[in-house]
Tab-separated table of all heavy atoms in Angstrom:
chain	number	residue	atom	x	y	z
G	509	MET	N	20.492	-25.658	152.930
G	509	MET	CA	20.261	-24.241	152.614
G	509	MET	C	20.730	-23.925	151.191
G	509	MET	O	20.070	-23.193	150.442
G	509	MET	CB	20.998	-23.340	153.631
G	509	MET	CG	20.256	-23.228	154.960
G	509	MET	SD	21.354	-22.778	156.298
G	509	MET	CE	21.657	-21.076	155.986
G	510	GLN	N	21.861	-24.524	150.841
G	510	GLN	CA	22.417	-24.289	149.490
G	510	GLN	C	21.452	-24.831	148.416
G	510	GLN	O	21.180	-24.159	147.421
G	510	GLN	CB	23.758	-24.986	149.388
G	510	GLN	CG	24.705	-24.232	148.490
G	510	GLN	CD	26.132	-24.725	148.674
G	510	GLN	OE1	26.405	-25.654	149.443
G	510	GLN	NE2	27.053	-24.108	147.978
G	511	ASP	N	20.923	-26.071	148.663
G	511	ASP	CA	19.983	-26.676	147.696
G	511	ASP	C	18.743	-25.793	147.528
G	511	ASP	O	18.258	-25.572	146.415
G	511	ASP	CB	19.523	-28.058	148.186
G	511	ASP	CG	20.629	-29.083	148.047
G	511	ASP	OD1	21.648	-28.759	147.394
G	511	ASP	OD2	20.490	-30.199	148.614
G	512	GLN	N	18.233	-25.299	148.667
G	512	GLN	CA	16.996	-24.511	148.601
G	512	GLN	C	17.222	-23.165	147.903
G	512	GLN	O	16.361	-22.724	147.133
G	512	GLN	CB	16.416	-24.266	150.017
G	512	GLN	CG	15.887	-25.527	150.690
G	512	GLN	CD	14.857	-26.265	149.831
G	512	GLN	OE1	14.015	-25.661	149.197
G	512	GLN	NE2	14.965	-27.591	149.802
G	513	THR	N	18.381	-22.537	148.164
G	513	THR	CA	18.626	-21.254	147.472
G	513	THR	C	18.794	-21.491	145.967
G	513	THR	O	18.314	-20.709	145.150
G	513	THR	CB	19.878	-20.510	148.006
G	513	THR	OG1	20.922	-21.439	148.201
G	513	THR	CG2	19.619	-19.775	149.289
G	514	THR	N	19.428	-22.612	145.618
G	514	THR	CA	19.574	-22.919	144.179
G	514	THR	C	18.188	-23.105	143.555
G	514	THR	O	17.903	-22.615	142.459
G	514	THR	CB	20.394	-24.219	143.991
G	514	THR	OG1	21.564	-24.106	144.780
G	514	THR	CG2	20.739	-24.471	142.548
G	515	ARG	N	17.323	-23.832	144.280
G	515	ARG	CA	15.960	-24.069	143.763
G	515	ARG	C	15.205	-22.753	143.591
G	515	ARG	O	14.550	-22.522	142.571
G	515	ARG	CB	15.205	-24.979	144.736
G	515	ARG	CG	14.137	-25.800	144.069
G	515	ARG	CD	13.654	-26.879	145.005
G	515	ARG	NE	12.628	-26.387	145.898
G	515	ARG	CZ	11.377	-26.153	145.534
G	515	ARG	NH1	10.999	-26.363	144.309
G	515	ARG	NH2	10.495	-25.705	146.408
G	516	MET	N	15.321	-21.865	144.595
G	516	MET	CA	14.631	-20.572	144.508
G	516	MET	C	15.188	-19.730	143.366
G	516	MET	O	14.443	-19.054	142.657
G	516	MET	CB	14.765	-19.799	145.830
G	516	MET	CG	13.730	-20.276	146.844
G	516	MET	SD	13.986	-19.545	148.435
G	516	MET	CE	13.350	-17.926	148.199
G	517	ARG	N	16.488	-19.800	143.165
G	517	ARG	CA	17.091	-19.019	142.080
G	517	ARG	C	16.567	-19.514	140.725
G	517	ARG	O	16.238	-18.728	139.838
G	517	ARG	CB	18.621	-19.146	142.114
G	517	ARG	CG	19.271	-17.822	142.539
G	517	ARG	CD	20.746	-17.858	142.362
G	517	ARG	NE	21.384	-18.258	143.619
G	517	ARG	CZ	22.642	-18.595	143.727
G	517	ARG	NH1	23.414	-18.647	142.673
G	517	ARG	NH2	23.153	-18.900	144.891
G	518	ARG	N	16.468	-20.863	140.616
G	518	ARG	CA	15.961	-21.439	139.360
G	518	ARG	C	14.513	-20.991	139.115
G	518	ARG	O	14.115	-20.645	138.011
G	518	ARG	CB	16.033	-22.968	139.462
G	518	ARG	CG	16.379	-23.603	138.126
G	518	ARG	CD	16.460	-25.101	138.213
G	518	ARG	NE	17.591	-25.586	138.966
G	518	ARG	CZ	17.524	-26.541	139.895
G	518	ARG	NH1	16.374	-27.097	140.213
G	518	ARG	NH2	18.607	-26.960	140.518
G	519	LEU	N	13.741	-20.993	140.198
G	519	LEU	CA	12.337	-20.589	140.106
G	519	LEU	C	12.226	-19.134	139.649
G	519	LEU	O	11.434	-18.794	138.753
G	519	LEU	CB	11.707	-20.753	141.500
G	519	LEU	CG	10.192	-20.678	141.595
G	519	LEU	CD1	9.567	-21.773	140.764
G	519	LEU	CD2	9.774	-20.829	143.054
G	520	ILE	N	13.055	-18.295	140.244
G	520	ILE	CA	13.016	-16.868	139.889
G	520	ILE	C	13.439	-16.660	138.440
G	520	ILE	O	12.827	-15.890	137.706
G	520	ILE	CB	13.884	-16.060	140.884
G	520	ILE	CG1	13.074	-15.915	142.171
G	520	ILE	CG2	14.286	-14.704	140.332
G	520	ILE	CD1	13.841	-15.402	143.344
G	521	GLU	N	14.461	-17.412	138.016
G	521	GLU	CA	14.902	-17.279	136.615
G	521	GLU	C	13.771	-17.692	135.670
G	521	GLU	O	13.501	-17.019	134.671
G	521	GLU	CB	16.146	-18.140	136.335
G	521	GLU	CG	17.437	-17.660	136.990
G	521	GLU	CD	17.720	-16.174	136.789
G	521	GLU	OE1	17.412	-15.648	135.706
G	521	GLU	OE2	18.228	-15.526	137.736
G	522	ASP	N	13.077	-18.806	136.020
G	522	ASP	CA	11.978	-19.264	135.154
G	522	ASP	C	10.830	-18.264	135.146
G	522	ASP	O	10.215	-18.002	134.097
G	522	ASP	CB	11.461	-20.641	135.607
G	522	ASP	CG	12.301	-21.771	135.013
G	522	ASP	OD1	13.274	-21.461	134.294
G	522	ASP	OD2	11.999	-22.955	135.280
G	523	LEU	N	10.516	-17.684	136.319
G	523	LEU	CA	9.439	-16.689	136.385
G	523	LEU	C	9.783	-15.473	135.530
G	523	LEU	O	8.929	-14.950	134.814
G	523	LEU	CB	9.214	-16.230	137.831
G	523	LEU	CG	8.328	-17.143	138.674
G	523	LEU	CD1	8.357	-16.702	140.134
G	523	LEU	CD2	6.894	-17.134	138.152
G	524	LEU	N	11.046	-15.052	135.595
G	524	LEU	CA	11.470	-13.896	134.794
G	524	LEU	C	11.410	-14.217	133.301
G	524	LEU	O	10.947	-13.407	132.504
G	524	LEU	CB	12.890	-13.463	135.190
G	524	LEU	CG	12.980	-12.657	136.494
G	524	LEU	CD1	14.438	-12.482	136.921
G	524	LEU	CD2	12.325	-11.286	136.319
G	525	THR	N	11.852	-15.439	132.951
G	525	THR	CA	11.800	-15.842	131.530
G	525	THR	C	10.354	-15.818	131.046
G	525	THR	O	10.034	-15.274	129.983
G	525	THR	CB	12.364	-17.272	131.345
G	525	THR	OG1	13.622	-17.331	131.980
G	525	THR	CG2	12.456	-17.681	129.897
G	526	LEU	N	9.463	-16.408	131.865
G	526	LEU	CA	8.054	-16.498	131.460
G	526	LEU	C	7.438	-15.110	131.300
G	526	LEU	O	6.777	-14.826	130.301
G	526	LEU	CB	7.283	-17.306	132.513
G	526	LEU	CG	5.873	-17.735	132.126
G	526	LEU	CD1	5.877	-18.555	130.851
G	526	LEU	CD2	5.243	-18.555	133.251
G	527	SER	N	7.680	-14.225	132.277
G	527	SER	CA	7.035	-12.905	132.160
G	527	SER	C	7.661	-12.109	131.012
G	527	SER	O	6.983	-11.321	130.365
G	527	SER	CB	7.083	-12.129	133.480
G	527	SER	OG	8.376	-11.720	133.747
G	528	HIS	N	8.944	-12.370	130.736
G	528	HIS	CA	9.576	-11.689	129.594
G	528	HIS	C	8.924	-12.145	128.279
G	528	HIS	O	8.581	-11.324	127.427
G	528	HIS	CB	11.080	-11.999	129.593
G	528	HIS	CG	11.786	-11.443	128.401
G	528	HIS	ND1	12.020	-10.097	128.253
G	528	HIS	CD2	12.276	-12.050	127.287
G	528	HIS	CE1	12.628	-9.898	127.106
G	528	HIS	NE2	12.798	-11.068	126.501
G	529	ILE	N	8.733	-13.467	128.147
G	529	ILE	CA	8.133	-13.987	126.903
G	529	ILE	C	6.677	-13.522	126.779
G	529	ILE	O	6.230	-13.118	125.710
G	529	ILE	CB	8.183	-15.531	126.852
G	529	ILE	CG1	9.625	-16.003	126.842
G	529	ILE	CG2	7.467	-16.068	125.632
G	529	ILE	CD1	9.765	-17.489	127.039
G	530	GLU	N	5.956	-13.561	127.907
G	530	GLU	CA	4.540	-13.185	127.865
G	530	GLU	C	4.341	-11.722	127.485
G	530	GLU	O	3.392	-11.382	126.791
G	530	GLU	CB	3.913	-13.398	129.240
G	530	GLU	CG	3.452	-14.820	129.483
G	530	GLU	CD	2.743	-14.934	130.808
G	530	GLU	OE1	3.148	-14.256	131.786
G	530	GLU	OE2	1.785	-15.683	130.891
G	531	SER	N	5.240	-10.864	127.983
G	531	SER	CA	5.021	-9.439	127.717
G	531	SER	C	5.671	-8.989	126.403
G	531	SER	O	5.517	-7.844	126.001
G	531	SER	CB	5.548	-8.597	128.876
G	531	SER	OG	6.873	-8.954	129.138
G	532	ASN	N	6.368	-9.902	125.751
G	532	ASN	CA	7.031	-9.539	124.495
G	532	ASN	C	6.043	-9.622	123.324
G	532	ASN	O	5.673	-10.705	122.892
G	532	ASN	CB	8.210	-10.500	124.263
G	532	ASN	CG	9.058	-10.051	123.108
G	532	ASN	OD1	8.725	-9.084	122.432
G	532	ASN	ND2	10.158	-10.747	122.884
G	533	THR	N	5.610	-8.456	122.857
G	533	THR	CA	4.618	-8.470	121.771
G	533	THR	C	5.279	-8.444	120.391
G	533	THR	O	4.622	-8.588	119.381
G	533	THR	CB	3.677	-7.246	121.887
G	533	THR	OG1	4.500	-6.084	121.959
G	533	THR	CG2	2.780	-7.346	123.096
G	534	GLN	N	6.592	-8.266	120.403
G	534	GLN	CA	7.314	-8.265	119.116
G	534	GLN	C	7.336	-9.683	118.540
G	534	GLN	O	7.469	-10.647	119.294
G	534	GLN	CB	8.778	-7.854	119.341
G	534	GLN	CG	8.973	-6.453	119.858
G	534	GLN	CD	8.677	-5.427	118.780
G	534	GLN	OE1	9.130	-5.589	117.665
G	534	GLN	NE2	7.895	-4.427	119.120
G	535	ALA	N	7.229	-9.793	117.228
G	535	ALA	CA	7.336	-11.127	116.613
G	535	ALA	C	8.753	-11.636	116.841
G	535	ALA	O	9.695	-10.833	116.888
G	535	ALA	CB	7.042	-11.017	115.135
G	536	PRO	N	8.944	-12.952	117.018
G	536	PRO	CA	10.301	-13.456	117.215
G	536	PRO	C	11.134	-13.267	115.948
G	536	PRO	O	10.581	-13.084	114.868
G	536	PRO	CB	10.083	-14.946	117.503
G	536	PRO	CG	8.759	-15.267	116.931
G	536	PRO	CD	7.951	-14.016	116.969
G	537	ASP	N	12.474	-13.324	116.123
G	537	ASP	CA	13.347	-13.248	114.939
G	537	ASP	C	12.930	-14.312	113.943
G	537	ASP	O	12.404	-15.359	114.323
G	537	ASP	CB	14.800	-13.557	115.339
G	537	ASP	CG	15.365	-12.440	116.177
G	537	ASP	OD1	14.785	-11.348	116.148
G	537	ASP	OD2	16.378	-12.683	116.876
G	538	ASN	N	13.204	-14.037	112.693
G	538	ASN	CA	12.792	-15.007	111.680
G	538	ASN	C	14.017	-15.540	110.950
G	538	ASN	O	14.044	-15.620	109.730
G	538	ASN	CB	11.835	-14.298	110.709
G	538	ASN	CG	10.791	-15.243	110.215
G	538	ASN	OD1	10.673	-16.355	110.738
G	538	ASN	ND2	10.052	-14.843	109.198
Side-chain angles (χ1 to χ4, degrees):
M509 281 157 74
Q510 213 165 2
D511 287 349
Q512 292 306 320
T513 42
T514 311
R515 208 167 85 75
M516 278 173 77
R517 250 189 266 168
R518 215 180 290 134
L519 193 61
I520 283 168
E521 290 311 324
D522 275 2
L523 277 171
L524 282 170
T525 309
L526 192 57
S527 71
H528 175 72
I529 297 170
E530 276 185 324
S531 53
N532 189 355
T533 53
Q534 296 288 314
D537 290 342
N538 214 10

